[in-house]
Amino acid sequence: MGKLIKKSVNLISHREINCYYEYLLNAFKQEFLLLSNRQIIERIIKDSVFSRQDIHFLKQIVANGFNRKKAYKCKPMVRHRLEHPIELINYIVLEGYTPTSPFVIWAHKKFGIRWNPMHWFILLMRDISPVDLAAIREELKTCKGERLPQTLEFYYRLGTGLERLTVHPDIGIKKVLNEEFKDEAKYRGFNPIDYLDYYYGGLDKEDMAIARTLYTMLVEHRQQLPPKSKALIVGNGPVPDEAQTLAMLPEIDEIVPADVDSRNINIMQRHTGGRNPLSTQKARPGEEHADFIYYLFEKYACVNYGLFAVREITSAKTADPAYVDVSKSNPLELPMNPPRIKNLKADLVVVPFCPESITDNIDTYRTYIRNISTLVEPKKHLCMLALKNAEFYLSGVKKLKAVPINEDTVFQELTRNGFKDIEIITIKTGLSSRKRGFSDSMIIWSTKA
């Protein structure tokens, strides 16, 4: 019988968030004034694919941090002078933050600037298709508080017009994106564009608590991972969040994101495989997550590099995405995968919110866990993120069914499939499950016997 260690943590406090925002604002100011070591990164992102030397350099940033080695140094060239705080806020938004994100709203209040939806409309107006311009003008009439018109928010969240593609004048953003990423849906109702639009407008307290808990858990278990470890992400989805978190561990050398949905694969391909996401497409949905992970990295490694290089480090460490189907007894044995993937021996398998959110049947869930367990070699490790007591979860306006599980369910299923030393940390939100479908989130670490 395996051993269970149960812990719980609360949401991140307002004080912690303010400390992070002060850190982040200062870091952006240094970048904006070209006083940051980020300039080193800017020199190597001009090519669409990183060289071997660049990949080594990016990986060393993490290794040097944990080894307490000195930061990389360069001689700053001051080319810009901050004339007005709104310039800095504009820069932050163009770097990947949405105008409605909690950090951007906080920055407005910090500088004593009134948040104005018309400012953000005008800033992006030339990149918006005429058909969407008309919709935004109508939506502006009913916009209240610190909110953007829904169509304009979509432009900022998905990055269209900023660095991805130009929307045809007569089509509009949502139709273009759905057309670009259309394909057969493996699980009924799931649409990656809806998911991106709903979940990735800003990093809230729960998102930050999940990221901090996962990263802390990985740091605490670093010593169990061999040097140059390979990590497999099962059910990656359309966002790079887990890959970003894994990339900031020195022991993790290669990350293979995998998913069953080809639409998610297509989105992930834009910032994996050694490609530079700044020269192709910014990983905009994961931008705020990346900066928070970098803050945690500097905190735990006790360094102050000021590079904010999570996107680039992640791209250097992340292989092209693969296909995985947890309904199969051999989830990687799929015709779309090359032999290297079919025979992959991962040191760490990460499963983010997957098996419980793609079925509402407990027997099917058990089958998924059994199939996932075949991907974990003896004495290797499984890390899972899971929804607790989920009847459903929201993706856009849709309610997608889920199966309710808890700590005991997870422990029983992992023990049944040969895992031991099971640690489960539950993030206590205090939120009602009636509206959003689930109560809390669980982060799980276990080792195959």
Side-chain angles (χ1 to χ4, degrees):
M1 188 70 173
K3 181 176 70 174
L4 173 62
I5 301 172
K6 290 170 68 172
K7 301 177 184 176
S8 64
V9 297
N10 295 320
L11 292 182
I12 192 168
S13 68
H14 287 297
R15 181 177 174 276
E16 288 178 280
I17 292 173
N18 278 332
C19 287
Y20 169 58
Y21 284 172
E22 292 285 358
Y23 164 92
L24 188 59
L25 189 63
N26 182 63
F28 269 120
K29 184 176 180 180
Q30 296 302 307
E31 284 193 40
F32 185 60
L33 298 177
L34 297 181
L35 296 171
S36 167
N37 285 333
R38 173 78 189 176
Q39 290 174 74
I40 302 170
I41 303 298
E42 298 293 340
R43 292 190 190 119
I44 67 174
I45 63 175
K46 294 178 182 177
D47 297 328
S48 60
V49 179
F50 292 131
S51 69
R52 286 175 181 242
Q53 185 179 359
D54 293 339
I55 287 172
H56 175 75
F57 169 80
L58 290 165
K59 288 181 178 180
Q60 270 312 117
I61 292 172
V62 184
N64 283 359
F66 278 92
N67 289 327
R68 306 289 192 270
K69 291 189 177 179
K70 290 182 180 179
Y72 298 96
K73 294 181 180 179
C74 68
K75 187 176 180 181
M77 296 177 63
V78 181
R79 301 175 187 170
H80 187 85
R81 185 163 163 263
L82 186 63
E83 298 291 345
H84 192 278
I86 196 65
E87 288 184 81
L88 177 58
I89 295 176
N90 288 346
Y91 172 75
I92 290 168
V93 168
L94 292 175
E95 280 294 294
Y97 282 69
T98 60
T100 53
S101 75
F103 171 62
V104 172
I105 292 171
W106 176 90
H108 276 78
K109 293 173 181 174
K110 173 81 175 176
F111 291 132
I113 300 170
R114 186 174 70 87
W115 194 95
N116 187 348
M118 282 303 299
H119 170 77
W120 301 113
F121 184 31
I122 292 166
L123 190 70
L124 203 60
M125 187 180 289
R126 67 180 182 179
D127 293 315
I128 300 173
S129 70
V131 66
D132 286 331
L133 283 173
I136 290 167
R137 289 191 180 100
E138 279 301 308
E139 291 167 9
L140 272 169
K141 296 175 183 176
T142 57
C143 252
K144 294 180 180 179
E146 292 158 333
R147 293 177 55 222
L148 283 181
Q150 186 178 26
T151 308
L152 179 58
E153 180 86 19
F154 206 65
Y155 271 86
Y156 276 108
R157 290 194 187 193
L158 274 297
T160 307
L162 296 174
E163 68 279 302
R164 288 196 60 256
L165 53 82
T166 303
V167 179
H168 186 280
D170 302 320
I171 295 178
I173 179 173
K174 194 148 189 177
K175 189 173 181 180
V176 166
L177 287 166
N178 283 326
E179 183 68 22
E180 181 179 354
F181 295 114
K182 71 177 180 181
D183 212 322
E184 182 182 357
K186 177 69 177 176
Y187 295 104
R188 186 183 301 172
F190 182 83
N191 184 313
I193 303 303
D194 288 342
Y195 185 83
L196 291 174
D197 184 32
Y198 185 78
Y199 279 99
Y200 287 88
L203 198 68
D204 63 21
K205 291 177 72 173
E206 186 175 13
D207 296 327
M208 295 170 86
I210 291 170
R212 183 187 61 180
T213 304
L214 175 61
Y215 188 64
T216 302
M217 177 180 277
L218 291 171
V219 169
E220 288 175 352
H221 290 282
R222 281 178 57 213
Q223 69 275 12
Q224 297 180 29
L225 298 172
K228 295 190 176 297
S229 286
K230 291 183 180 180
L232 170 68
I233 304 175
V234 175
N236 189 96
V239 295
D241 286 5
E242 283 70 41
Q244 290 172 349
T245 308
L246 290 166
M248 300 312 288
L249 291 179
E251 290 76 15
I252 299 291
D253 188 67
E254 184 180 14
I255 303 160
V256 180
D259 203 278
V260 71
D261 195 317
S262 58
R263 297 168 300 173
N264 289 334
I265 297 282
N266 291 340
I267 294 172
M268 275 299 295
Q269 278 176 333
R270 295 176 180 274
H271 42 85
T272 60
R275 296 180 188 86
N276 169 17
L278 289 183
S279 63
T280 53
Q281 173 202 355
K282 286 184 182 179
R284 179 169 289 271
E287 199 75 9
E288 297 185 43
H289 180 274
D291 291 344
F292 184 58
I293 289 295
Y294 196 85
Y295 164 73
L296 295 175
F297 157 67
E298 290 207 341
K299 179 180 177 182
Y300 286 110
C302 299
V303 294
N304 184 15
Y305 286 180
L307 288 172
F308 275 163
V310 173
R311 284 179 309 185
E312 293 79 13
I313 293 167
T314 304
S315 183
K317 289 190 175 187
T318 306
D320 280 328
Y323 286 88
V324 66
D325 189 343
V326 297
S327 69
K328 310 289 185 186
S329 57
N330 297 304
L332 291 176
E333 284 279 349
L334 303 173
M336 304 84 84
N337 287 335
R340 185 181 91 85
I341 296 299
K342 292 178 182 178
N343 301 318
L344 180 68
K345 306 295 183 187
D347 299 287
L348 174 63
V349 175
V350 178
V351 185
F353 301 109
C354 175
E356 78 283 354
S357 65
I358 56 176
T359 183
D360 59 352
N361 182 289
I362 190 64
D363 291 330
T364 303
Y365 170 80
R366 290 184 177 122
T367 299
Y368 291 162
I369 294 295
R370 184 176 69 245
N371 294 340
I372 288 169
S373 72
T374 66
L375 298 170
V376 186
E377 298 288 308
K379 301 189 186 320
K380 300 301 182 180
H381 311 285
L382 173 68
C383 180
M384 299 177 67
L385 295 86
L387 302 176
K388 181 178 177 180
N389 298 327
E391 299 285 348
F392 64 89
Y393 70 100
L394 298 172
S395 180
V397 297
K398 298 174 184 172
K399 282 185 179 181
L400 301 184
K401 290 183 179 180
V403 64
I405 60 169
N406 56 30
E407 295 89 344
D408 292 335
T409 313
V410 173
F411 176 67
Q412 290 166 8
E413 294 309 311
L414 291 182
T415 301
R416 183 179 289 136
N417 286 283
F419 288 89
K420 62 177 184 177
D421 300 333
I422 300 163
E423 178 184 347
I424 303 178
I425 301 177
T426 303
I427 300 168
K428 298 289 187 182
T429 64
L431 300 173
S432 168
S433 60
R434 191 164 54 88
K435 288 186 178 180
R436 65 180 197 155
F438 62 96
S439 57
D440 306 314
S441 296
M442 299 178 288
I443 317 289
I444 302 110
W445 178 276
S446 59
T447 302
K448 191 80 168 285

